[in-house]
Amino acid sequence: MTTEEVKKKALVKKKEKVAPKPEELAIDAASQKMIARSRELEVETIFDRAQSMKPCNIGAQGTCCKNCAQGPCRLPLPKGGIEGEDTRKGLCGATPETIAARNFARMVAGGAAAHSDHGRGVAETFLAAARKETEDYRIKDTKKLLEIAPDFGVDITVEGENGEILDRDIDEIAVEVAEKALAQWGQQQGEVCTVKRAPAARYELWKKLGVVPRGIDREIVEIMHRTHIGVDQDYENIVEQCSRAAIADGWGGSMIATDLQDVLFGCPYPLRSSANLGVLREDHVNIVIHGHEPLLSEMIVEAAELPEMLELAKEKGAEGIQLSGICCTANEILMRHGVPLCGNFLQQELAIVTGAVDAMVVDVQCIMENIANVAQCFHTKIITTNPRARIASGDTVHIEFDEHTALEDAKRIVRTAIENFPNREKEVIIPDAKSDLIAGFSYEAINYHLGGTFRGSYVPLNDNIINGRIRGIGGVVG
Ligand code: SF4
């Protein structure tokens, strides 16, 4: 053994000595197994980085400001706290409260922008489908389209020549809904129209507090303006704008995304599937879809089922194609197609460590930059697909997705994964761990299950929460 090798071995031993055991890092058996495997292969994951990361004390207090070039101004809380008046100030005089509120507000702006921009992308594709500019997307759920149209101020009937009420053409309704939906982002005055869906008392309270959003983009831009140097210096007033932007996203951008996705791809309905790293299959081409938007993943599901793709997979020595998902994109294809869930946010690197992932296809949000580095230790191809989200680290492939050529793009992606199947180089180790699940509880499905076709409502659920028979409901929210 050379001196270098001895040193390296000693370093590994030292790391092993201080590193917490996988069982101390994750409760899930599949994750524990893959953390151990990553250490064996010396592949760094978030579980290692979490050990060496020292949180910044001032950052944790939210009192570091770099909103102008005079900073950064750091306002740490002195050890032992502050006796008497708090005299901490940034160069411009900003107090810790102002700085913390501004930092929080910019986080709200970032989150609202990300989720609402997802909605904008869906609205643009919906408009293209409604105008028949793309053959790859069609309006699937006309019932839901007719239900949501009035919320956007779109009539679903017309008056005939003799005063009779006639059904309006469904394509006309779809185009008008798409245009009205898209207009919510750039609207400057009035109210985001879907906010009125909130319970009446809640809506009235928002009105009283003056936090009903005017337009989705407007509220996000206003946060950026208010938090610029020398603008809003009243932390309560800053936080009020956070509420306005948050409602613009939750009751605007994100809600519109859900509406239009359901109309485009169909309302989810309960179905069986499974979850965890054990859904990967050694003898199949494994394509893991990761990110947030269903626009691309819906097409990948379609492409992976094409006979030409299955034939190509067989030609390359695989038994078939196994799709699975991570994060929100996973949920989209799980609840509509039963595509199993490979893992959660923390398992994205661990999925690659199995050595079985032939391609990980990503769009936007929650994609760890380090997946590109982990992939370099294996044969896995990381395929970025969205112009907003590319990865500079590692050796990624970019296949841009366009809604006008959606199926063709998806086919290219699936083909790239299949062609990578024979390149597996490391031993494949897939944890024998997966759980059965039932997904697909859309608002409509729950409503139906609580009363059927004629009496569907939330009354039985509400009653049983009020009378105490249902003791709690858990929401899993990303
Ligand atoms: S805005 Fe004020 S507190 Fe922030 S960096 Fe500039 S001078 Fe410092």
Side-chain angles (χ1 to χ4, degrees):
M1 204 182 271
T2 63
T3 328
E4 272 309 301
E5 283 169 338
V6 172
K7 273 189 190 165
K8 203 173 165 193
K9 207 173 167 190
L11 195 68
V12 171
K13 274 204 156 170
K14 195 178 160 197
K15 271 191 186 169
E16 277 172 1
K17 223 173 165 184
V18 290
K21 295 189 183 107
E23 306 84 79
E24 295 171 80
L25 297 172
I27 198 167
D28 165 53
S31 299
Q32 290 168 2
K33 190 161 183 179
M34 286 301 104
I35 293 168
R37 176 71 174 148
S38 69
R39 286 179 177 176
E40 205 179 296
L41 297 173
E42 294 182 49
V43 175
E44 181 208 274
T45 69
I46 189 170
F47 295 94
D48 304 305
R49 293 190 292 278
Q51 296 311 308
S52 54
M53 183 63 67
K54 298 262 177 299
C56 163
N57 185 33
I58 313 164
Q61 291 170 24
T63 52
C64 176
C65 181
K66 52 183 177 58
N67 289 12
C68 86
Q70 297 178 98
C73 296
R74 310 191 311 158
L75 276 60
L77 195 66
K79 269 190 189 146
I82 294 169
E83 274 180 31
E85 198 189 344
D86 184 356
T87 53
R88 292 177 293 160
K89 287 188 186 74
L91 286 182
C92 65
T95 63
E97 289 84 358
T98 301
I99 292 175
R102 289 198 303 215
N103 287 339
F104 174 69
R106 288 197 169 194
M107 289 172 77
V108 173
H115 283 278
S116 292
D117 208 29
H118 163 177
R120 186 200 321 263
V122 175
E124 284 171 342
T125 302
F126 190 96
L127 183 60
R131 286 180 177 162
K132 309 260 187 300
E133 292 168 0
T134 167
E135 288 177 4
D136 298 335
Y137 299 99
R138 291 168 301 281
I139 305 296
K140 268 195 191 152
D141 194 335
T142 50
K143 183 170 174 275
K144 179 143 185 175
L145 176 62
L146 295 176
E147 274 168 16
I148 64 167
D151 293 340
F152 290 93
V154 175
D155 291 332
I156 57 173
T157 53
V158 279
E159 202 176 308
E161 281 176 9
N162 303 317
E164 72 277 30
I165 302 297
L166 302 170
D167 287 342
R168 212 177 148 202
D169 178 68
I170 202 82
D171 290 335
E172 251 180 59
I173 296 173
V175 171
E176 209 180 317
V177 165
E179 286 170 350
K180 290 265 170 69
L182 209 44
Q184 301 308 305
W185 273 266
Q187 187 171 281
Q188 301 303 317
Q189 287 170 343
E191 296 177 356
V192 170
C193 62
T194 40
V195 169
K196 278 224 173 71
R197 286 177 177 170
R202 177 70 40 194
Y203 173 73
E204 287 307 321
L205 179 64
W206 288 342
K207 270 191 88 105
K208 199 171 131 203
L209 295 172
V211 294
V212 176
R214 296 155 290 185
I216 300 164
D217 286 349
R218 176 164 191 174
E219 306 308 350
I220 295 165
V221 168
E222 192 167 311
I223 283 190
M224 298 311 286
H225 178 194
R226 283 188 189 216
T227 54
H228 188 55
I229 178 178
V231 186
D232 201 346
Q233 288 150 123
D234 173 343
Y235 68 90
E236 288 186 4
N237 205 40
I238 295 171
V239 173
E240 193 179 277
Q241 180 58 19
C242 293
S243 301
R244 217 170 271 125
I247 297 168
D249 174 31
W251 288 84
S254 290
M255 188 173 275
I256 294 171
T258 303
D259 277 350
L260 302 187
Q261 282 166 194
D262 285 352
V263 176
L264 264 186
F265 307 127
C267 243
Y269 200 79
L271 43 69
R272 281 176 185 278
S273 190
S274 49
N276 213 340
L277 296 167
V279 305
L280 297 170
R281 294 167 83 174
E282 185 167 358
D283 55 4
H284 278 55
V285 173
N286 286 294
I287 305 176
V288 177
I289 308 169
H290 174 21
H292 268 69
E293 299 186 349
L295 300 173
L296 168 66
S297 51
E298 280 284 327
M299 285 299 124
I300 291 185
V301 172
E302 205 171 315
E305 285 170 357
L306 292 171
E308 65 189 84
M309 293 298 163
L310 296 171
E311 269 167 38
L312 183 62
K314 293 238 155 105
E315 224 175 83
K316 298 288 173 188
E319 287 297 313
I321 302 169
Q322 177 64 56
L323 289 185
S324 59
I326 283 181
C327 264
C328 293
T329 286
N331 185 43
E332 299 286 350
I333 47 176
L334 164 69
M335 63 186 182
R336 292 198 180 87
H337 302 283
V339 171
L341 188 72
C342 177
N344 61 24
F345 172 81
L346 285 175
Q347 288 173 302
Q348 53 189 288
E349 292 164 303
L350 302 182
I352 300 171
V353 173
T354 61
V357 178
D358 302 298
M360 185 175 276
V361 187
V362 302
D363 50 32
V364 291
Q365 299 172 25
C366 293
I367 298 141
M368 287 187 196
E369 187 166 341
N370 198 56
I371 55 169
N373 298 322
V374 177
Q376 277 198 310
C377 306
F378 298 85
H379 77 300
T380 307
K381 280 207 186 309
I382 302 292
I383 306 176
T384 55
T385 57
N386 193 300
R388 298 175 186 85
R390 296 182 74 143
I391 303 177
S393 313
D395 187 18
T396 57
V397 182
H398 186 74
I399 301 179
E400 198 147 312
F401 175 72
D402 183 318
E403 67 265 26
H404 297 93
T405 53
L407 189 58
E408 271 317 303
D409 299 336
K411 277 158 74 175
R412 265 180 76 200
I413 290 166
V414 172
R415 209 174 289 122
T416 305
I418 297 171
E419 280 164 0
N420 198 29
F421 177 79
N423 298 331
R424 289 185 187 178
E425 47 200 31
K426 292 215 167 61
E427 187 189 354
V428 170
I429 297 180
I430 299 172
D432 183 19
K434 60 178 174 179
S435 308
D436 293 335
L437 62 86
I438 298 177
F441 292 97
S442 57
Y443 162 80
E444 287 78 2
I446 297 172
N447 211 33
Y448 171 77
H449 278 94
L450 291 176
T453 309
F454 300 106
R455 285 184 298 276
S457 93
Y458 273 69
V459 170
L461 181 64
N462 294 344
D463 284 352
N464 282 286
I465 292 172
I466 293 163
N467 69 26
R469 287 181 70 197
I470 294 177
R471 296 174 61 192
I473 294 176
V476 183
V477 182

